[in-house]
Amino acid sequence: MPLSQQIGIDKDIMQKLPAEVVQRQLFIFNGISLMLLVIGLISAVSATVYSLILFHQWFIAIGVGIFIGMVVFNLYRLFLMTGLDLKGSTLAHYHIKHENLYKEHNLHQLEGTAYQHPDEILKGWAQAAKDKLRDKISINPAAPRNAFTIAVRVFVMALLAVIFANGLEILMFSQQINLALAELKPILQQQPNDWTYTHILTPTANEPFILINANSLLLTFDTLAAGLGKWKLLLDVMVLAIYMIPLLVIYRSTEIRHGAYVQELALHEISKTTYHYLITQKYCHIFQEQIKGLKLEFRKYDHRTNKGAAAE
């Protein structure tokens, strides 16, 4: 399965485009899909690390990690694909309100006569309207974007990046963290009935430590931050950059945001809606005629029943 299909790219939509354009678009979206898979993998590994510290069970930790990784991957895919909103393209006028296309091609006038034509004819009209609309496409790259929705997406992904960066760093420096905790343990042991020593640094008989020799995420975070110092900020920024790259590419690249695939996808959706509009008008008329026939039969039956009752 091509990588681009992982984020919902349908190659069949681009049938009317030149082969080199199709290959270029698939190459771009394959790269984006690979970035999202890497981000999902980082999230899964980090969630697994957190779960090992909390539950001390490999089976639970791996299950939680896979689930969180899939959630992050699909959330990011939602953010990216809904970010292709056609702002700055003439298609936006028709994509937001499909009735504009119906009026422009006088399709509203067919409401009373659509029933007279077979489905293939109606599909042909929808396809013809789609082809005419393709020839009218123009793009204004300087068109303003919705700053609020962009800010929300950036904030959510930045928050996830910071959270999962800590898990990745704990995995990378687990040995150093355990050495620091081992040095802390004798100091706390000298104090009678110390809670941290008894409950945090001492494993239970049935749940031995895995990866980190502590039962507390907060203590692990403090140890990691104290050990890395300013280097932790650098590592956080590196992970943040990995999480931000796909969003940056989507919002800054005209080749993607106003690219051939996005245009063909919009045309495909408009054409499908136009065909459904025409065929709905056709079958609504048919159903109305059937209802009228049923009403007429009911009236005849009711008249005969009343007439028989009067004769008795």
Side-chain angles (χ1 to χ4, degrees), residues 1 6 17 64 69 75 79-80 85 101 153 161 177 202 225 232 235 246 254 279 281 287 295 299 302:
M1 179 184 293
Q6 300 297 325
L17 297 177
V64 171
L75 178 63
F79 282 177
L80 291 186
D85 56 6
L101 182 68
R153 295 164 203 249
I177 294 173
T202 303
K232 187 180 186 307
L235 293 174
T254 305
I279 204 169
Q281 299 305 317
F287 293 152
K295 286 182 177 179
R299 288 173 182 172
D302 187 56

Side-chain angles (χ1 to χ4, degrees), residues 94 101 104-105 125-137 267:
Y94 301 97
L101 182 68
E104 186 171 311
H105 292 275
W125 287 346
Q127 184 65 40
K130 171 184 175 181
D131 293 336
K132 290 179 181 179
L133 185 57
R134 180 186 284 109
D135 296 334
K136 294 174 55 177
I137 295 176
L267 290 170

Side-chain angles (χ1 to χ4, degrees), residues 6-307:
Q6 300 297 325
I7 57 174
I9 301 301
D10 186 359
K11 181 181 178 181
D12 295 337
I13 290 177
M14 298 185 286
Q15 290 180 348
K16 289 197 172 184
L17 297 177
E20 60 273 13
V21 175
V22 174
Q23 292 302 318
R24 175 62 180 173
Q25 289 291 302
L26 290 178
F27 173 78
I28 291 172
F29 285 107
N30 282 339
I32 294 175
S33 299
L34 184 60
M35 294 179 198
L36 263 62
L37 287 173
V38 171
I39 290 171
L41 180 61
I42 292 174
S43 304
V45 170
S46 182
T48 302
V49 170
Y50 289 150
S51 300
L52 284 174
I53 298 173
L54 293 174
F55 303 112
H56 309 292
Q57 296 286 339
W58 276 107
F59 180 76
I60 296 176
I62 292 174
V64 171
I66 293 174
F67 175 75
I68 295 298
M70 293 176 63
V71 168
V72 173
F73 175 82
N74 285 287
L75 178 63
Y76 214 147
R77 180 173 64 173
L78 173 67
F79 282 177
L80 291 186
M81 299 312 293
T82 54
L84 305 174
D85 56 6
L86 297 170
K87 286 289 183 63
S89 171
T90 52
L91 284 175
H93 175 68
Y94 301 97
H95 192 254
I96 295 173
K97 192 175 182 181
H98 294 189
E99 289 82 357
N100 293 327
L101 182 68
Y102 308 157
K103 294 177 182 178
E104 186 171 311
H105 292 275
N106 298 320
L107 297 181
H108 282 298
Q109 298 178 6
L110 299 173
E111 291 186 7
T113 60
Y115 70 94
Q116 301 174 358
H117 305 281
D119 294 354
E120 290 301 319
I121 296 296
L122 300 180
K123 184 178 290 186
W125 287 346
Q127 184 65 40
K130 171 184 175 181
D131 293 336
K132 290 179 181 179
L133 185 57
R134 180 186 284 109
D135 296 334
K136 294 174 55 177
I137 295 176
S138 63
I139 297 172
N140 177 19
R145 307 282 295 174
N146 190 325
F148 176 75
T149 59
I150 295 176
V152 170
R153 295 164 203 249
V154 170
F155 173 77
V156 171
M157 297 317 301
L159 180 62
L160 292 176
V162 172
I163 292 173
F164 294 125
N166 285 312
L168 199 62
E169 292 161 4
I170 290 172
L171 179 63
M172 294 170 58
F173 300 100
S174 58
Q175 293 184 355
Q176 290 81 356
I177 294 173
N178 286 331
L179 288 174
L181 294 175
E183 294 177 358
L184 176 64
K185 199 170 182 179
I187 299 174
L188 296 178
Q189 192 175 8
Q190 297 174 5
Q191 303 178 18
N193 301 322
D194 183 82
W195 189 90
T196 302
Y197 174 80
T198 305
H199 296 89
I200 302 299
L201 298 178
T202 303
T204 60
N206 298 326
E207 293 184 351
F209 289 138
I210 300 176
L211 188 64
I212 299 298
N213 297 329
N215 288 317
S216 171
L217 280 175
L218 292 177
L219 179 60
T220 305
F221 289 155
D222 288 342
T223 307
L224 177 69
L228 291 178
K230 295 181 179 179
W231 289 100
K232 187 180 186 307
L233 178 61
L234 176 61
L235 293 174
D236 288 345
V237 171
M238 291 174 61
V239 176
L240 179 63
I242 294 174
Y243 275 71
M244 288 295 107
I245 286 175
L247 277 177
L248 182 64
V249 169
I250 286 290
Y251 286 121
R252 297 298 298 174
S253 173
T254 305
E255 189 176 9
I256 298 176
R257 186 158 54 94
H258 293 148
Y261 176 78
V262 178
Q263 294 177 11
E264 289 299 313
L265 178 61
L267 290 170
H268 173 75
E269 293 172 351
I270 293 171
S271 175
K272 183 176 289 188
T273 304
T274 303
Y275 171 64
H276 288 168
Y277 167 75
L278 293 173
I279 204 169
T280 299
Q281 299 305 317
K282 173 182 177 178
Y283 285 103
C284 281
H285 178 84
I286 293 173
F287 293 152
Q288 287 174 356
E289 293 300 318
Q290 291 177 347
I291 292 172
K292 287 180 181 178
L294 290 173
K295 286 182 177 179
L296 183 60
E297 291 295 326
F298 178 78
R299 288 173 182 172
K300 290 180 179 178
Y301 174 78
D302 187 56
H303 177 72
R304 290 195 300 268
T305 302
N306 293 334
K307 188 175 181 181

